[in-house]
Amino acid sequence: MMKKIAYTALLLTLAFTWFGASAQQKADATKPKKISPDLFGIFFEDLSYAADGGLYAELIQNRSFEYNPADNRDWNSMTAWKYQTDGFGYGTISVETAAPVHPNNPHYILLDIQDEGQKGVGLENSGFDGIPVKASKNYDFSVFLNAISDQSLPVKVALVDRKGKELGSSLFTTSDKGWKKYTQQIHINFDNDSAKLVLLIKAKGKIAIDMVSLFPEETFKNHRNGLRADLAQVIADIKPKFMRFPGGCLTHGDGIANIYRWKNTIGPVEQRVEQRNIWNYHQTAGLGYFEYFQFCEDIGAKPVPVLAAGVSCQNSGGTWRIGSTGQKGIPMEEMKAYVQDVLDLVEYANGPITSTWGAKRAVAGHPAPFNLEYLGIGNEDKITGVFEERFRMIYDAVHKAHPEIKIIGTVGPSPKGEDFDKGWKLADQLSVGIVDEHYYEKPQWFLKNTQRYDAYNRLRSKVYIGEYASWGNTLFNALSEAVYMTSLERNGDVVRMASYAPLIARIGHTSWNPNLIYFNGSKVFPTVNYYVQQQFAANSGNEYLPDVIKLKGEKAALDTTAGVSTVRDSATGDLILKIANAGNAPVSGEADLSKIGQLPKSAILTVITGNPDVKNSADNSQAIVPQSSVIKLQKKWAFTVPAYSLTVVRISGREIEKHK
């Protein structure tokens, strides 16, 4: 999405001198300083259909008939399904639990076909707002069947459009009695964004059906039980340094029984424990901890799993809007087992294949460790006595058993207040290495708080900003975040990580707005905020240079609508300059590259700019996108950047070396 633009359009002219740190950088020394190499990453939470119906590539909704009114008051085991007797067949259908595929997956469908009619009797599934399929592509179908009748039964599986036109199909026959998994590949002949899957039994008989599944053959990195390729690639293109998962509020759940248990999400999918999603839909757990770790590895992001701190969400039984106080703690007599679950996760991620949980990872297809470095305990919890007692138990046990793991604590849901203060006090008492701050605020808050971390005590816990966003997806929102992010780079010695939240949301099923990426069944729509996050993550460094860029004039240097930063990536030697301008007038300044040595002839300049009220949408997905060009370099640069813009200049370290 990078387009060349005329360099003169940016109002950038070249000249160069060396200047001291701006007043905004008063907390910095004049020398380069080491900053976190993991500063910018992503946070995935299963809300707004982010997993099922989203990143998880499964195309069948309610594939195992486990939906129920606890998920959504209008749902039941047949939600998204239709009993299919088109062709004058008839029989009976029922939801059963007497003899399931696995006790963790108790519901299944029993069909008694008394007359197969002209086409057969069976089931039809509408997917998530329809099933998108593409011509000439293959789709992997599977189903668990228990043929109770003595004779074998012919089965047809097809994808059809809304009018019943067949888009592709496959035929097979059941074999022995008892549950057996059947797999078929369906070749599609026509494009369709809203197909339906039809499973028909074409003879008289009795049969049980469960785990009806359909995946595109082409998943991200071609993994089985994999991820939606286009959506996963857009996430990968951010080039995040880490990924926090699986939540969020999802982690500590709506009540103790709803706490997310990682062990329930690994192993064969038909044996995983499904449960209600705190955001009022359903989790199949098909996208589970193994898949999360695997995705992190695939995109080069460090995994940051977050586990409940032994308490449920304080909004259990209510909502954050009405201030529910429903936090409950796991009974103390059960905490020893819960703490062991936490320790077992570290073993699952990092243990050898000779260990109990390392062996389970190997069986799943990954003998090598996942190299877990960070572990979050708690999520924006209310800091109560109930929380503190359980957090201490978990923290002490993990710290003792695995001192190599960097534990991330929590300091409540807001950038200040009682929980924030109590959380920091607890972190001080335990010497917690990193604490997780959260804030969702108006864009003006971000512009007014660019000095937030300048005065943080460097000897206290480091900070992970696990969730932050301004309230909106316009260019102005994105640029207010960009200005703030330059201050995070400036304070990258105390701010170890930061991740915009939420990450993705399915259009028509949003539980929360704004989001970084929107999508429907067939397309993905990155926001302007996405491109800002991408520019910072893809152009990050591990060394901050405090006095390369100076904005013109003392007043301009103090202007909270503008921010600058310069970082170096020691791995590549690349030098990256960022100038964020959320103001309504161009900003001028000067920079000095004289100390980097002999300049290469050119660099890559990328600009995001436009009308501040514009946002990318499904109707205009590329209203504002980054535009890049190659620029010539000279030793002195006096620049003017446009109003409402983010400008990034990347100078290749490889080219610098060539010209030394």
Side-chain angles (χ1 to χ4, degrees):
M1 295 189 178
M2 298 165 63
K3 301 177 182 177
K4 286 194 173 183
I5 58 174
Y7 180 55
T8 54
L10 299 173
L11 305 176
L12 294 166
T13 58
L14 295 175
F16 268 81
T17 39
W18 187 261
F19 298 95
S22 70
Q24 192 178 3
Q25 296 170 332
K26 62 186 178 182
D28 298 321
T30 58
K31 295 182 179 180
K33 66 178 178 181
K34 295 295 182 182
I35 62 173
S36 171
D38 302 329
L39 187 52
F40 297 114
I42 55 175
F43 162 48
F44 180 93
E45 177 164 13
D46 184 8
L47 77 162
S48 302
Y49 283 54
D52 295 299
L55 185 59
Y56 186 45
E58 175 65 78
L59 295 170
I60 302 300
Q61 184 174 188
N62 191 18
R63 66 182 178 188
S64 56
F65 310 101
E66 298 299 327
Y67 278 23
N68 64 75
D71 301 323
N72 182 303
R73 66 183 60 187
D74 296 324
W75 285 3
N76 57 59
S77 293
M78 285 293 289
T79 295
W81 291 98
K82 180 181 176 182
Y83 181 42
Q84 177 61 270
T85 57
D86 185 25
F88 309 104
Y90 65 87
T92 63
I93 180 173
S94 60
V95 179
E96 303 291 341
T97 60
V101 171
H102 191 273
N104 290 344
N105 177 16
H107 296 89
Y108 59 93
I109 294 297
L110 182 63
L111 287 181
D112 184 355
I113 301 98
Q114 297 168 15
D115 190 320
E116 69 274 23
Q118 298 172 356
K119 297 182 178 180
V121 173
L123 297 169
E124 175 186 287
N125 188 274
S126 55
F128 298 90
D129 306 320
I131 299 173
V133 293
K134 294 181 179 180
S136 77
K137 298 295 183 180
N138 295 322
Y139 291 80
D140 294 331
F141 168 82
S142 66
V143 63
F144 277 82
L145 297 176
N146 180 2
I148 300 170
S149 301
D150 291 332
Q151 73 277 17
S152 297
L153 297 175
V155 182
K156 179 178 182 180
V157 57
L159 285 153
V160 302
D161 68 12
R162 290 181 177 178
K163 295 182 179 180
K165 176 184 175 181
E166 189 171 292
L167 309 173
S169 65
S170 184
L171 299 170
F172 63 98
T173 303
T174 64
S175 55
D176 300 331
K177 291 184 177 181
W179 287 108
K180 182 179 179 181
K181 184 177 182 179
Y182 297 83
T183 60
Q184 295 288 307
Q185 192 166 79
I186 303 173
H187 183 78
I188 296 299
N189 299 307
F190 307 96
D191 288 341
N192 197 283
D193 285 341
S194 55
K196 297 179 287 187
L197 181 133
V198 179
L199 177 66
L200 297 171
I201 312 303
K202 299 176 68 64
K204 298 180 181 65
K206 188 177 289 188
I207 191 168
I209 304 171
D210 202 1
M211 292 297 296
V212 184
S213 176
L214 185 73
F215 276 82
E217 181 184 34
E218 298 173 358
T219 59
F220 187 65
K221 303 295 183 181
N222 294 317
H223 294 306
R224 290 191 176 276
N225 194 51
L227 306 182
R228 178 175 157 177
D230 60 343
L231 184 52
Q233 187 60 57
V234 170
I235 295 172
D237 288 344
I238 297 174
K239 299 189 183 303
K241 300 301 181 289
F242 66 88
M243 185 175 87
R244 178 183 183 230
F245 62 87
C249 292
L250 184 87
T251 297
H252 52 189
D254 191 4
I256 294 173
N258 195 236
I259 287 176
Y260 192 99
R261 303 291 187 125
W262 74 270
K263 289 181 178 179
N264 289 343
T265 74
I266 63 171
V269 291
E270 69 273 11
Q271 297 179 18
R272 299 183 186 184
V273 180
E274 304 186 25
Q275 69 175 37
R276 178 174 64 89
N277 187 297
I278 194 174
W279 299 101
N280 298 314
Y281 55 99
H282 189 83
Q283 297 165 232
T284 66
L287 174 52
Y289 257 69
F290 179 83
E291 290 76 23
Y292 283 123
F293 277 121
Q294 183 173 252
F295 183 50
C296 289
E297 183 175 76
D298 285 342
I299 65 176
K302 293 182 179 181
V304 185
V306 181
L307 302 178
V311 298
S312 65
C313 180
Q314 58 263 28
N315 299 315
S316 295
T319 71
W320 64 273
R321 293 185 179 87
I322 64 174
S324 173
T325 55
Q327 183 192 79
K328 301 294 182 183
I330 293 174
M332 289 305 295
E333 61 269 21
E334 299 176 16
M335 276 301 297
K336 182 178 179 180
Y338 184 79
V339 170
Q340 188 59 52
D341 283 349
V342 178
L343 297 176
D344 290 344
L345 175 60
V346 179
E347 183 176 287
Y348 181 79
N350 292 352
I353 60 175
T354 54
S355 65
T356 300
W357 292 96
K360 292 181 183 296
R361 181 195 67 239
V363 168
H366 201 283
F370 282 118
N371 301 316
L372 179 67
E373 181 180 339
Y374 296 103
L375 180 63
I377 304 297
N379 170 73
E380 62 178 42
D381 296 278
K382 190 170 184 62
I383 311 300
T384 63
V386 173
F387 165 85
E388 184 173 333
E389 183 178 20
R390 287 155 179 79
F391 179 85
R392 284 178 181 271
M393 288 182 64
I394 301 168
Y395 178 85
D396 289 344
V398 176
H399 187 63
K400 180 180 179 180
H402 296 284
E404 76 282 5
I405 296 294
K406 299 177 179 68
I407 299 172
I408 304 171
T410 179
V411 292
S414 302
K416 61 181 180 180
E418 180 183 19
D419 294 315
F420 184 84
D421 295 338
K422 286 183 175 180
W424 267 103
K425 182 179 179 180
L426 179 61
D428 287 340
Q429 291 172 358
L430 295 175
S431 298
V432 176
I434 308 171
V435 297
D436 181 13
E437 296 186 355
H438 291 184
Y439 33 84
Y440 297 92
E441 302 286 344
K442 294 179 179 179
Q444 290 77 12
W445 183 94
F446 289 90
L447 297 175
K448 292 177 180 178
N449 282 273
T450 55
Q451 297 184 33
R452 175 179 175 88
Y453 296 106
D454 289 354
Y456 265 48
N457 187 334
R458 266 56 185 169
L459 300 179
R460 298 178 78 187
S461 304
K462 303 303 182 185
V463 175
Y464 169 30
I465 310 170
E467 299 182 30
Y468 75 96
S470 65
W471 290 109
N473 286 130
T474 68
L475 175 62
F476 180 66
N477 289 103
L479 292 175
S480 71
E481 292 155 5
V483 172
Y484 191 73
M485 292 168 76
T486 64
S487 80
L488 301 185
E489 287 192 317
R490 184 174 73 246
N491 289 287
D493 57 330
V494 67
V495 180
R496 191 174 189 100
M497 299 183 290
S499 49
Y500 182 104
L503 180 63
I504 61 176
R506 187 180 183 104
I507 295 172
H509 300 278
T510 53
S511 309
W512 180 280
N513 284 297
N515 298 276
L516 199 63
I517 303 164
Y518 290 87
F519 63 92
N520 59 24
S522 56
K523 296 180 181 178
V524 182
F525 308 102
T527 63
V528 186
N529 315 68
Y530 166 90
Y531 291 113
V532 165
Q533 293 291 326
Q534 182 188 55
Q535 287 303 310
F536 275 82
N539 293 289
S540 61
N542 62 338
E543 190 177 38
Y544 181 79
L545 310 182
D547 50 1
V548 171
I549 304 172
K550 182 180 179 181
L551 298 181
K552 186 175 181 180
E554 187 72 16
K555 183 177 179 181
L558 293 170
D559 189 349
T560 56
T561 61
V564 301
S565 67
T566 304
V567 298
R568 179 186 285 120
D569 180 352
S570 64
T572 62
D574 290 5
L575 190 72
I576 304 107
L577 287 69
K578 301 184 185 76
I579 308 161
N581 180 16
N584 59 6
V587 166
S588 298
E590 296 171 294
D592 182 3
L593 302 179
S594 62
K595 292 187 178 181
I596 71 170
Q598 185 67 34
L599 286 174
K601 293 181 180 180
S602 62
I604 301 296
L605 182 143
T606 302
V607 177
I608 300 172
T609 191
N611 185 319
D613 298 323
V614 169
K615 61 182 178 180
N616 294 344
S617 66
D619 295 329
N620 190 358
S621 62
Q622 296 193 26
I624 298 178
V625 297
Q627 302 180 73
S628 291
S629 60
V630 177
I631 61 170
K632 293 182 179 180
L633 289 176
Q634 297 181 18
K635 286 195 173 183
K636 292 186 176 181
W637 189 21
F639 60 81
T640 300
V641 298
Y644 301 116
S645 67
L646 170 64
T647 300
V648 178
V649 178
R650 188 172 190 117
I651 305 170
S652 169
R654 184 175 299 176
E655 292 300 317
I656 292 172
E657 284 296 317
K658 286 182 181 179
H659 290 81
K660 281 188 177 179

